[in-house]
């Protein structure tokens, strides 16, 4: 499905129970209703996302939580390997939950909160660097990141919620 530029709102359940395999969403979208892209009672739905603005994507991803996001393309370039969440992103929701293509992650100072499930099950992730400004890491945000070896925490961090790094057996270096 390709959503046209200029569309600002997608209502609740708008595409429920569809067989989406790919979606291109413009950054003109300002609001997406609850379960707008819910697969209904279908299971094992995965979807490729195409967007023009990664910062924008980080703020709307929770509306697609029923789907497994297979790949993300920003300006038609697949995100993989070393990911940098740049300045301007205020928080990270569950956008990367289960993504297996992240190797290293750097989170910018504008991100104050990493929400619950944000990077859970990102099994190939090896290291995370949090820049000054990050204040809170939500519960189970990095749970089951089984290859995660090292993290660098900022002085600005005030809260690490329960289970944030649960079942990260390779984690040996916390700075």
């Amino acid at each position: 499905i390709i959503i046209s530029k200029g569309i600002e709102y997608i209502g609740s359940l708008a595409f429920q129970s569809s067989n989406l395999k790919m979606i291109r969403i413009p950054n003109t979208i300002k609001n997406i209703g609850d379960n707008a892209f819910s697969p209904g009672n279908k299971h094992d739905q995965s979807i490729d996302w195409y967007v023009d603005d990664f910062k924008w994507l980080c703020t709307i991803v929770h509306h697609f939580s029923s789907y497994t996001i297979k790949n993300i393309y920003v300006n038609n370039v697949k995100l993989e390997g070393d990911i940098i969440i740049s300045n301007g992103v205020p928080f990270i929701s569950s956008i990367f939950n289960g993504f297996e293509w992240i190797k290293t992650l750097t989170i910018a100072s504008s991100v104050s909160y990493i929400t619950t499930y944000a990077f859970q099950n990102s099994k190939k992730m090896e290291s995370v660097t949090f820049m000054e400004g990050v204040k809170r890491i939500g519960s189970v945000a990095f749970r089951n990141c089984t290859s995660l070896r090292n993290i660098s925490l900022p002085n600005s961090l005030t809260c690490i919620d329960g289970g944030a790094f649960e079942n990260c057996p390779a984690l040996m270096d916390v700075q």
Side-chain angles (χ1 to χ4, degrees), residues 106-147:
T106 302
I107 299 175
S109 60
S110 66
V111 177
S112 63
Y113 179 42
I114 291 99
T115 65
T116 301
Y117 307 117
F119 296 93
Q120 176 181 252
N121 297 317
S122 296
K123 297 182 187 256
K124 293 183 182 176
M125 185 183 301
E126 295 177 2
S127 70
V128 180
T129 301
F130 300 91
M131 304 305 286
E132 281 302 323
V134 175
K135 295 179 181 165
R136 183 176 179 183
I137 301 171
S139 62
V140 300
F142 292 88
R143 177 172 60 185
N144 297 329
C145 292
T146 54
S147 297

Side-chain angles (χ1 to χ4, degrees), residues 32-56:
I32 298 174
D34 291 339
N35 297 308
F37 296 93
S38 170
N41 59 7
K42 298 174 183 176
H43 300 286
D44 299 322
Q45 291 280 69
S46 63
I47 189 169
D48 285 336
W49 284 37
Y50 291 80
V51 298
D52 298 325
D53 185 346
F54 183 73
K55 294 175 192 176
W56 170 85

Side-chain angles (χ1 to χ4, degrees), residues 7-115:
I7 293 180
E8 295 182 357
Y9 177 75
I10 299 172
S12 296
L13 308 174
F15 294 93
Q16 182 183 23
S17 299
S18 61
N19 288 313
L20 297 177
K21 297 293 180 203
M22 177 278 254
I23 187 165
R24 180 178 293 277
I25 303 177
N27 58 3
T28 57
I29 299 290
K30 295 179 180 166
N31 194 345
I32 298 174
D34 291 339
N35 297 308
F37 296 93
S38 170
N41 59 7
K42 298 174 183 176
H43 300 286
D44 299 322
Q45 291 280 69
S46 63
I47 189 169
D48 285 336
W49 284 37
Y50 291 80
V51 298
D52 298 325
D53 185 346
F54 183 73
K55 294 175 192 176
W56 170 85
L57 176 65
C58 288
T59 65
I60 64 141
V61 76
H62 58 280
H63 296 289
F64 296 86
S65 60
S66 299
Y67 278 95
T68 299
I69 300 173
K70 187 175 177 182
N71 295 299
I72 294 178
Y73 298 85
V74 177
N75 294 317
N76 293 318
V77 176
K78 183 178 177 182
L79 289 181
E80 60 187 334
D82 302 326
I83 304 296
I84 299 172
I85 309 294
S86 60
N87 273 321
V89 176
F91 67 93
I92 300 172
S93 62
S94 59
I95 186 169
F96 296 108
N97 183 354
F99 278 21
E100 298 213 1
W101 41 257
I102 300 172
K103 185 174 179 183
T104 66
L105 176 66
T106 302
I107 299 175
S109 60
S110 66
V111 177
S112 63
Y113 179 42
I114 291 99
T115 65

